[in-house]
Amino acid sequence: EAQVTQNPRYLITVTGKKLTVTCSQNMNHEYMSWYRQDPGLGLRQIYYSMNVEVTDKGDVPEGYKVSRKEKRNFPLILESPSPNQTSLYFCASSTKGQQETQYFGPGTRLLVL
Amino acid sequence: AQSVTQPDIHITVSEGASLELRCNYSYGATPYLFWYVQSPGQGLQLLLKYFSGDTLVQGIKGFEAEFKRSQSSFNLRKPSVHWSDAAEYFCAITSSGGSYIPTFGRGTSLIVHP
């Protein structure tokens, strides 16, 4: 089954404790991205990657890191989480092209205390 | 810079009634336009998209949307709503000018009364 998977689905952590949210897709997509969803703000893009070793900032990259060492994986790293990073995070993938459909993972709900 | 406005935060309809969700965009050229649906506890799923051709686009689950260039709008419609349509709906655009960064609206929450 074609899908985007994220782990963990739920995470509670404390300020400053490094964490990684994994994202993997099995559709051989070139383009992957991370979003955060906050009430009243919709989805905002954090980082995106157009292919292996090619990443770029989205609209809200501060406090986040990403890497793209393999085509299928695109982990999101919070090196020193803060409470304002409490949010719902989505990973998405697509073939390359602005008109292409994005396929979303099920989301990771993060609470930073 | 491109932007998307969904003016309605919440919409309440009765089951069987018609539905229209509004989406307006701001962009110099013709953008690529999308509607996604997010069911409770789920990720987003594409309903339909427009990038050229016929301005009336058919999607899944009986939804359609019409691109109106003169009004910079891409409103989503359904003639008869089902209780299972209760969800969050997002309009989004990417630019034909080269940016890979999609812009999403803030979403419209659809509540369906029996």
Side-chain angles (χ1 to χ4, degrees):
Chain A
E1 179 190 355
Q3 60 182 353
V4 179
T5 56
Q6 294 179 228
N7 282 292
R9 293 289 312 278
Y10 304 91
L11 181 59
I12 301 174
T13 189
V14 295
T15 299
K17 186 176 181 181
K18 181 179 178 180
L19 67 91
T20 299
V21 184
T22 64
C23 173
S24 183
Q25 51 92 5
N26 62 1
M27 294 170 279
N28 201 36
H29 286 165
E30 296 90 350
Y31 179 43
M32 298 185 74
S33 59
W34 276 103
Y35 297 86
R36 60 178 290 173
Q37 182 181 17
D38 302 290
L41 297 178
L43 274 79
R44 294 178 292 168
Q45 194 176 70
I46 303 170
Y47 269 95
Y48 67 98
S49 168
M50 290 170 59
N51 216 322
V52 176
E53 303 291 1
V54 181
T55 64
D56 209 345
K57 296 176 181 178
D59 295 324
V60 288
E62 295 78 19
Y64 304 95
K65 283 178 58 178
V66 293
S67 69
R68 187 92 182 272
K69 293 183 169 55
E70 303 167 286
K71 196 172 187 179
R72 64 182 293 125
N73 296 322
F74 190 45
L76 179 69
I77 303 156
L78 285 72
E79 298 226 326
S80 183
S82 62
N84 64 13
Q85 293 179 296
T86 291
S87 188
L88 179 58
Y89 291 87
F90 288 101
C91 180
S93 74
S94 72
T95 53
K96 196 185 294 187
Q98 297 92 329
Q99 73 275 25
E100 298 302 324
T101 301
Q102 293 203 62
Y103 293 85
F104 285 82
T108 294
R109 189 167 290 281
L110 172 65
L111 173 61
V112 183
L113 301 173
Chain B
Q2 60 197 36
S3 67
V4 177
T5 301
Q6 292 181 248
D8 303 305
I9 297 173
H10 301 284
I11 291 272
T12 301
V13 299
S14 298
E15 192 169 16
S18 63
L19 171 70
E20 182 170 38
L21 302 182
R22 295 182 291 165
C23 172
N24 293 96
Y25 68 89
S26 173
Y27 182 64
T30 300
Y32 298 115
L33 296 155
F34 305 80
W35 274 100
Y36 287 86
V37 60
Q38 183 183 26
S39 298
Q42 304 291 319
L44 280 73
Q45 178 187 19
L46 180 76
L47 281 175
L48 47 78
K49 61 182 177 181
Y50 170 83
F51 49 90
S52 67
D54 192 345
T55 56
L56 184 63
V57 182
Q58 302 297 321
I60 62 171
K61 305 185 182 188
F63 285 91
E64 66 177 26
E66 186 171 14
F67 170 59
K68 293 186 177 180
R69 185 190 306 272
S70 61
Q71 298 177 19
S72 297
S73 69
F74 189 55
N75 293 349
L76 182 71
R77 301 194 294 248
K78 186 169 185 178
S80 178
V81 171
H82 188 262
W83 63 266
S84 60
D85 293 324
E88 189 91 14
Y89 291 82
F90 292 93
C91 183
I93 63 173
T94 57
S95 72
S96 56
S99 169
Y100 284 90
I101 301 180
T103 300
F104 282 82
R106 295 187 177 190
T108 298
S109 178
L110 175 64
I111 300 164
V112 180
H113 281 315

